[in-house]
């Protein structure tokens, strides 16, 4: 095929659209004086199919698109498995683009196709000093990125949101990576000399992992001194080579600012963080959570806890530095609130959101126990701010509210955030509650 014919085949543009694009006689004049690098930057901000479509504007524009540095492929239309138009298009673009560096490769697809296509495309763009790689393909079968891992050294951002396999047989070094996000990845430790997996990412700032599984690894060591944000959502370990079958995750990051963790079972993963960690958010569901697991977070000053109804812990460790607690829980389980309040001696701000089912109602026994319960020390002597989010003036929430107001000696603000307007009658009743603190004010939001 003649080169010009091949270029034209990259994209088909209806004659009516071509006429519309060329109707402005000044179009070429406006751009003809721009430097090629500027035109390349403009085209790089478009989806690649749009950038390629400019080749029909005129002869001088036929090859303009080949200088783009950002490749963005978005396959949003569900196709028949025999329809190869998308893969053919990506093939032709990568085959015809210039030899300059490529900054970004973004691929999102709602279809499934042979992983050989993806590996072939990535093999080419990774040779071009690629800095940003984003793959969002939930319909693909498992893609083995292991052969490409040694080529990831130039990456600054890596997002793999597809079923992926990563075989790592030696300490992994990605010297330029600042952002890492993995979803549904299976990570295998293939080292024959160590059961530990060392990830050395010296400039990493954000780490995200969701639904990932780690195989044959005793300890994962994330050595990232510049790491600020660590997020892990429902990850687990398999075939752990130790008697406890618990995979330990050690995060070596002196600048860590916040961790977010969501999990179903503390028997699979144990986290370890530096004692300087200031903030954490934990969503804990099902199973028994050990005191040892929670002890990893006792250094925080700000803690968010989202606890399922069947959450259970025998003993809560002391959170001696905790100043702010945001607790999302089933308020019929009043002892859960009490457990954490008794473990936070200097708590100043308490935020609550109720997860109680609308069909559930507190028993008279529960309300009586709540009223007779002795308030923890932090309520009586330290608490300054109480906020109840998604507030509803029902018997359960108003009982907890009244209990705090009657016992909090230095309480300054009570903030009741409600999705629906609170009646004047309910407001008047709340404002009539006895207050241990003469400075307590109630605000309705």
């Amino acid at each position: 095929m003649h080169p010009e014919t091949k270029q034209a085949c990259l994209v088909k543009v209806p004659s009516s659209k071509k006429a519309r694009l060329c109707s402005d006689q000044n179009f070429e004049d406006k751009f003809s004086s721009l430097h090629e690098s500027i035109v390349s930057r403009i085209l790089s901000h478009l989806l690649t199919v749009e950038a390629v479509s400019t080749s029909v504007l005129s002869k001088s524009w036929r090859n303009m698109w080949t200088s783009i540095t950002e490749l963005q492929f978005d396959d949003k239309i569900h196709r028949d498995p025999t329809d190869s138009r998308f893969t053919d298009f990506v093939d032709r673009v990568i085959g015809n683009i210039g030899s300059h560096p490529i900054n970004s490769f973004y691929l999102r697809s709602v279809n499934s196709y042979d992983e050989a296509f993806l590996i072939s495309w990535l093999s080419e763009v990774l040779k071009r000093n690629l800095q940003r790689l984003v793959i969002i393909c939930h319909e693909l079968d498992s893609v083995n990125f292991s052969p490409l891992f040694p080529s990831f050294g130039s990456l600054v951002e890596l997002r793999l949101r597809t079923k992926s396999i990563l075989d790592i047989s030696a300490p992994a070094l990605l010297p330029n990576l600042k952002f890492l996000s993995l979803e549904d990845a299976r990570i295998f430790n293939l080292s024959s000399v160590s059961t530990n997996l060392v990830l050395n990412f010296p400039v990493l700032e954000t780490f995200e992992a969701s639904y990932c599984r780690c195989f044959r690894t005793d300890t994962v060591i994330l050595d990232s001194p510049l790491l600020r944000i660590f997020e892990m959502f429902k990850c687990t370990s398999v075939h752990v080579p130790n008697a406890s079958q618990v995979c330990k995750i050690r995060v070596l990051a002196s600048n860590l600012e916040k961790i977010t963790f969501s999990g179903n079972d503390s028997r699979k993963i144990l986290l370890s963080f530096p004692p300087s960690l200031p903030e954490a958010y934990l969503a804990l569901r099902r199973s028994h959570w050990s005191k040892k697991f929670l002890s990893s977070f006792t250094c925080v000053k700000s803690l968010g806890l989202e606890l399922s109804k069947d959450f259970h812990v025998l003993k809560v460790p002391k959170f001696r530095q905790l100043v702010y607690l945001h607790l999302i829980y089933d308020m019929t389980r009043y002892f859960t609130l009490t457990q954490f309040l008794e473990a936070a001696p200097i708590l100043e701000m308490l935020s609550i959101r109720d997860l109680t089912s609308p069909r559930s109602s507190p028993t008279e026994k529960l309300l009586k126990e709540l009223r007779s319960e002795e308030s923890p020390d932090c309520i009586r002597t330290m608490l300054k701010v109480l906020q109840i989010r998604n507030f509803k003036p029902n018997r359960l929430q108003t009982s907890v509210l009244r209990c705090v107001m009657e016992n909090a000696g230095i309480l300054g603000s009570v903030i009741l955030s409600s999705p629906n307007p609170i009646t004047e009658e309910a407001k008047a009743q709340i404002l009539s509650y006895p207050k241990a603190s003469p400075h307590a004010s109630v605000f309705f939001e």
Side-chain angles (χ1 to χ4, degrees), residues 189-198 216-219:
N189 180 8
L190 298 186
S191 174
S192 59
V193 297
S194 176
T195 58
N196 294 342
L197 182 60
V198 180
R216 299 193 292 272
T217 302
D218 179 86
T219 304

Side-chain angles (χ1 to χ4, degrees), residues 81-134:
T82 60
D83 186 344
S84 63
R85 284 177 294 176
F86 176 73
T87 54
D88 289 347
F89 175 73
V90 179
D91 270 341
R92 289 196 295 268
V93 168
I94 292 178
N96 285 274
I97 202 166
S99 59
H100 55 274
I102 296 176
N103 295 332
S104 172
F105 183 90
Y106 172 98
L107 173 66
R108 181 173 64 176
S109 178
V110 297
N111 297 293
S112 177
Y113 45 84
D114 193 326
E115 73 166 283
F117 286 110
L118 181 58
I119 298 301
S120 173
W121 301 332
L122 295 183
S123 297
E124 288 300 316
V125 296
L126 284 167
K127 298 174 185 177
R128 308 285 193 89
N129 196 35
L130 191 69
Q131 297 182 32
R132 178 175 182 261
L133 175 58
V134 180

Side-chain angles (χ1 to χ4, degrees), residues 40-41 43-48 51 65 67-73 93 97 100-106 130 132:
S40 172
R41 185 175 299 180
L43 295 181
S44 293
H45 282 81
L46 303 175
L47 286 174
T48 300
W65 71 268
S67 64
I68 60 177
T69 59
E70 318 281 332
L71 296 179
Q72 302 179 60
F73 301 102
V93 168
I97 202 166
H100 55 274
I102 296 176
N103 295 332
S104 172
F105 183 90
Y106 172 98
L130 191 69
R132 178 175 182 261

Side-chain angles (χ1 to χ4, degrees), residues 336-349:
T336 299
L337 174 62
T338 303
Q339 273 186 306
F340 283 95
L341 291 180
E342 289 177 344
I346 64 169
L347 189 71
E348 296 181 0
M349 294 175 282

Side-chain angles (χ1 to χ4, degrees), residues 20-34 57 61:
R20 188 166 62 252
L21 288 170
C22 298
S23 62
D24 185 352
Q25 295 180 352
N26 295 322
F27 178 83
E28 191 168 350
D29 291 337
K30 292 178 181 178
F31 285 90
S32 59
S33 61
L34 294 178
L57 295 177
W61 278 80

Side-chain angles (χ1 to χ4, degrees), residues 392-437:
K392 299 172 184 176
N394 55 39
R395 295 177 68 198
L396 177 59
Q397 294 195 27
T398 55
S399 295
V400 172
L401 171 62
R402 182 167 183 166
C403 181
V404 173
M405 292 176 65
E406 288 180 348
N407 291 279
I410 62 170
L411 188 66
S413 300
V414 176
I415 305 167
L416 304 178
S417 306
S418 176
N420 302 309
I422 300 174
T423 65
E424 294 301 319
E425 181 181 358
K427 289 181 180 180
Q429 182 180 11
I430 291 169
L431 293 173
S432 69
Y433 291 161
K435 304 178 184 70
S437 169

Side-chain angles (χ1 to χ4, degrees), residues 208-212 231-235 260-263 283 285:
E208 299 175 352
S210 56
Y211 298 103
C212 295
E231 297 184 0
M232 181 172 284
F233 184 78
K234 294 188 177 179
C235 297
T260 302
F261 176 86
S262 176
R285 295 172 174 83

